[in-house]
Amino acid sequence: MYYKPKNMLVSSKIFSVSVKGMASVRYNGNKNVTGKRLKALRDKRDLTQGELAAKMQTMGFVLDQQAISNIENNKRTVTDFEIAGFCKALRCSEKDLLQELYEDLNS
């Protein structure tokens, strides 16, 4: 069963569906907007997915190599606190990681 409030303002780029109590939010059909930049920044730092996962784990995040792969391949969403952790691990700003989103919003 899908529920959408009558007076809800929805961007044409954001689509939200509720399935059995779980929300699935996408932007331009993507589960995240960080995957491509995460890979580019990880490659720039000469880190493997496993090494990035290990850095995240030392900060208390529960991420493994497969989770990093799923994020980079747009198969997994990313939480706000994971974005902060990625930025610390990759020594970049949130704006660097969200560059694609900012470019899209400014166009």
Side-chain angles (χ1 to χ4, degrees):
M1 176 176 211
Y2 300 110
Y3 173 74
K4 182 177 174 185
K6 291 180 182 179
N7 296 324
M8 187 171 151
L9 177 62
V10 178
S11 166
S12 62
K13 296 180 181 186
I14 299 173
F15 181 67
S16 179
V17 178
S18 179
V19 180
K20 293 186 181 179
M22 297 295 294
S24 173
V25 178
R26 295 177 183 253
Y27 182 82
N28 281 345
N30 297 304
K31 286 191 174 185
N32 70 66
V33 294
T34 60
K36 290 178 190 175
R37 286 294 295 160
L38 182 66
K39 179 174 176 21
L41 291 166
R42 180 180 58 76
D43 288 343
K44 184 178 178 179
R45 302 284 189 263
D46 292 320
L47 293 171
T48 65
Q49 291 174 341
E51 290 168 336
L52 178 56
K55 282 180 170 271
M56 295 292 285
Q57 289 169 9
T58 64
M59 291 185 282
F61 294 92
V62 182
L63 290 171
D64 59 10
Q65 177 275 325
Q66 187 62 50
I68 303 294
S69 176
N70 287 341
I71 291 167
E72 290 181 353
N73 290 298
N74 199 25
K75 295 179 181 176
R76 181 185 181 282
T77 59
V78 182
T79 64
D80 51 358
F81 52 87
E82 289 172 335
I83 288 172
F86 285 133
C87 290
K88 183 172 182 177
L90 296 169
R91 300 182 318 274
C92 69
S93 70
E94 287 83 3
K95 191 164 185 175
D96 290 335
L97 190 57
L98 297 171
Q99 178 182 341
E100 186 178 313
L101 175 64
Y102 282 107
E103 289 172 357
D104 188 42
L105 293 174
N106 290 324
S107 63

